[in-house]
């Protein structure tokens, strides 16, 4: 009898995709999926067209073209404070998602335990599981999304191999403080753990929040795999350009697995992202912060007026709001109620927890046009008045 592998038997369609399908059905405003509705910078688009016309359409070196590795190295030094050799410490990957998969394949053994902060980004958990690792959870407590150092220490067992840190975070919008990253660094060194970071929202910071890469803390450079990409920064989620920055000891294996699965990231788009990194001035990144702060404020105000309480996020482009005032047995019911009665799609909070802690929560994405956010605000108002 043919059957799926034991691994594949556990897979289920993500709630994010389900909500997007449902949203389309009722022609709602989709604040569920983290797809950027904001424009791609003109320089980046033009460079992609030029690259295709110039014939950069074939396989590249497995760890990416030199121009992109050099551009990333320059950016890592100036923005993140990490000095990385573009020849052997940077691997360009098929999105940061590809970097995670290849890094886990390279550094985790089946049965290894990996600590993740919860609410988590589902891909982190499912990718740990896909390579045979075992996720363990550390609670970030609402409304401030702080964690207890004791919880982190108590989660360590002889099988613990790594910690995943996503800052700024999806879905909570949390930006880990220097003190929190220092605790994590201390624990990682005490127990000889890897740290995998997801810094994809590193430019999406508001008010006085600052980005800090844990690899820059003392003793962390060699045990940290710093992962990021340009999906969000350049609004190119479909282009699939990400990267991992780490010691040469690990980069070779990460490149090997990336080659095995993908051969390389899309060639002309590597050229375009390199051109974008080199060409775009500081004011582009400041503009990003300014525009997204405005979007955040627009959505947070609409949510507050509709009776959904939330912590105004310091980073990323999501708000995880308390929707306990909506009827339903769980977060899926609440998300469906909101979609059917207000025409706004959000992701059920249960998608970000391994237990029932998220059943009163809904995640809203504000990487949307101002017109869509305003329309969502009007629709949320309707539900506020009616109930
Ligand atoms: N990491 C986080 C935390 C995300 O929210 C997302 C997309 O929503 C990704 C990674 C995906 O990144 P990429 O497009 O580089 O694979």
């Amino acid at each position: 009898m043919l059957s799926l592998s034991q691994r594949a038997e556990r897979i289920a369609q993500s709630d994010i995709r389900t909500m997007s399908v449902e949203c389309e059905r009722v022609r709602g405003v989709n604040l569920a999926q983290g797809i950027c509705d904001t424009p791609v910078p003109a320089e980046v688009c033009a460079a992609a067209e030029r690259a295709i016309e110039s014939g950069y359409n074939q396989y590249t070196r497995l760890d990416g073209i030199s121009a992109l590795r050099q551009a990333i190295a320059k950016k890592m030094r100036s923005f993140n404070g990490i000095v990385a050799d573009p020849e052997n410490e940077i691997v360009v990957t098929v999105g940061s998602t590809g970097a995670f998969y290849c890094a886990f394949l390279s550094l985790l053994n089946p049965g290894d335990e990996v600590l993740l902060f919860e609410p988590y980004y589902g891909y982190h958990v499912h990718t740990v599981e896909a390579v045979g690792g075992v996720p363990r959870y550390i609670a970030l407590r609402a409304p401030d999304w702080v964690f207890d150092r004791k919880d982190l220490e108590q989660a360590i067992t002889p099988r613990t191999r790594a910690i995943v840190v996503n800052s700024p975070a999806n879905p909570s919008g949390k930006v880990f403080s220097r003190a929190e990253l220092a605790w994590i660094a201390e624990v990682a060194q005490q127990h000889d753990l890897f740290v995998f970071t997801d810094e994809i929202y590193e430019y999406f910071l508001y008010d006085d929040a600052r980005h800090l890469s844990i690899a820059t803390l003392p003793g962390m450079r060699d045990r940290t795999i710093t992962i990021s990409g340009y999906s969000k920064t350049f609004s190119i989620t479909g282009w699939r350009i990400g990267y991992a920055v780490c010691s040469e000891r690990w980069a070779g294996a990460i490149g090997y697995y990336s080659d095995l699965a993908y051969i390389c990231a899309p060639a002309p788009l590597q050229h375009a992202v390199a051109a974008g990194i080199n060409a775009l001035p500081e004011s582009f990144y400041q503009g990003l912060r300014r525009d997204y702060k405005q979007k955040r404020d627009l959505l947070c105000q609409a949510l507050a007026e509709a009776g959904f309480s939330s912590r105004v996020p310091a980073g990323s482009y999501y708000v995880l709001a308390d929707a306990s005032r909506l009827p339903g047995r769980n977060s899926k019911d609440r998300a469906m109620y909101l979609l059917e009665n207000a025409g706004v799609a959000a992701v059920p909070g249960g998608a970000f927890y391994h237990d029932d802690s998220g059943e009163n929560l809904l995640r809203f994405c504000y990487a949307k046009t101002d017109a869509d956010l305003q329309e969502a605000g009007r629709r949320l108002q309707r539900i506020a008045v009616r109930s």
Side-chain angles (χ1 to χ4, degrees):
M1 245 301 245
L2 292 177
S3 65
L4 289 171
S5 68
Q6 286 166 6
R7 187 187 302 118
E9 258 160 9
R10 285 188 310 198
I11 59 184
Q13 172 154 249
S14 88
D15 286 341
I16 300 177
R17 279 190 204 280
T18 309
M19 285 312 295
S20 295
V21 172
E22 288 298 315
C23 184
E24 200 142 309
R25 186 177 57 79
V26 305
R27 295 180 185 280
V29 179
N30 190 353
L31 302 190
Q33 209 159 17
I35 289 181
C36 317
D37 284 349
T38 46
V40 181
E43 293 87 336
V44 177
C45 275
E49 285 172 21
R50 265 199 322 273
I52 291 170
E53 280 161 12
S54 309
Y56 292 120
N57 299 304
Q58 310 305 327
Y59 299 142
T60 70
R61 206 172 107 165
L62 63 90
D63 54 355
I65 62 168
S66 168
L68 180 53
R69 281 180 284 107
Q70 282 179 25
I72 293 168
K74 202 170 78 185
K75 171 263 176 192
M76 291 307 293
R77 189 176 319 116
S78 60
F79 181 76
N80 305 78
I82 296 171
V83 177
D85 182 347
E87 264 311 297
N88 51 31
E89 293 187 314
I90 296 176
V91 184
V92 173
T93 53
V94 175
S96 65
T97 305
F100 263 95
Y101 194 53
C102 297
F104 286 170
L105 279 171
S106 302
L107 303 173
L108 299 179
N109 290 310
D112 282 350
E113 293 178 7
V114 177
L115 306 183
L116 300 116
F117 293 91
E118 186 178 59
Y120 50 69
Y121 171 59
Y123 274 67
H124 294 154
V125 170
H126 301 142
T127 309
V128 166
E129 289 172 339
V131 304
V134 180
R136 299 279 180 227
Y137 305 99
I138 300 152
L140 296 172
R141 291 180 212 290
D144 296 338
W145 309 115
V146 290
F147 66 95
D148 203 323
R149 187 178 169 150
K150 268 210 312 285
D151 288 349
L152 177 57
E153 281 161 353
Q154 283 168 2
I156 307 273
T157 76
R159 309 231 47 171
T160 309
R161 175 97 162 160
I163 308 174
V164 173
V165 179
N166 173 210
S167 181
N170 173 9
S172 63
K174 175 184 175 68
V175 176
F176 283 67
S177 70
R178 180 177 285 275
E180 288 173 324
L181 292 175
W183 289 349
I184 296 167
E186 211 177 289
V187 169
Q189 288 175 76
Q190 246 167 28
H191 298 275
D192 200 23
L193 308 177
F194 282 113
V195 173
F196 298 94
T197 72
D198 183 334
E199 306 186 19
I200 193 95
Y201 297 106
E202 59 198 340
Y203 290 109
F204 295 81
L205 293 159
Y206 314 111
D207 309 319
D208 52 3
R210 292 275 164 274
H211 184 65
L212 179 63
S213 292
I214 197 170
T216 61
L217 298 186
M220 291 306 290
R221 175 66 170 80
D222 283 355
R223 63 178 67 253
T224 304
I225 319 301
T226 303
I227 293 175
S228 189
Y230 279 85
S231 285
K232 313 290 176 173
T233 308
F234 290 169
S235 300
I236 48 169
T237 55
W239 283 21
R240 316 310 302 127
I241 303 289
Y243 59 83
V245 175
C246 59
S247 156
E248 184 180 1
R249 283 175 76 192
W250 327 124
I254 295 172
Y256 171 85
Y257 281 113
S258 186
D259 179 22
L260 204 57
Y262 316 107
I263 299 188
C264 64
L269 307 182
Q270 290 190 50
H271 284 271
V273 169
I277 298 172
N278 291 329
L280 288 165
E282 184 49 35
S283 57
F284 166 78
Y285 300 93
Q286 285 163 0
L288 209 65
R289 286 176 77 131
R290 192 190 51 235
D291 293 351
Y292 275 81
K293 178 183 183 305
Q294 221 171 323
K295 292 177 192 299
R296 176 199 70 170
D297 292 344
L298 221 143
L299 178 62
C300 285
Q301 194 182 336
L303 289 173
E305 283 168 9
F308 300 105
S309 71
S310 67
R311 169 85 173 169
V312 175
S316 82
Y317 49 53
Y318 305 96
V319 188
L320 198 53
D322 185 328
S324 51
R325 61 182 288 275
L326 297 182
R329 285 159 304 150
N330 53 37
S331 57
K332 275 189 194 155
D333 287 357
R334 295 192 168 90
M336 283 313 296
Y337 180 91
L338 185 66
L339 182 62
E340 270 155 16
N341 291 275
V344 174
V347 181
F352 310 107
Y353 289 85
H354 78 289
D355 58 15
D356 61 4
S357 309
E359 298 307 339
N360 281 332
L361 301 172
L362 293 178
R363 189 200 74 176
F364 297 84
C365 172
Y366 52 89
K368 305 290 156 190
T369 60
D370 289 351
D372 274 351
L373 290 171
Q374 278 151 3
E375 178 58 24
R378 278 191 289 275
R379 290 172 178 225
L380 287 168
Q381 273 296 321
R382 272 188 239 146
I383 206 167
V385 175
R386 200 182 314 156
S387 37

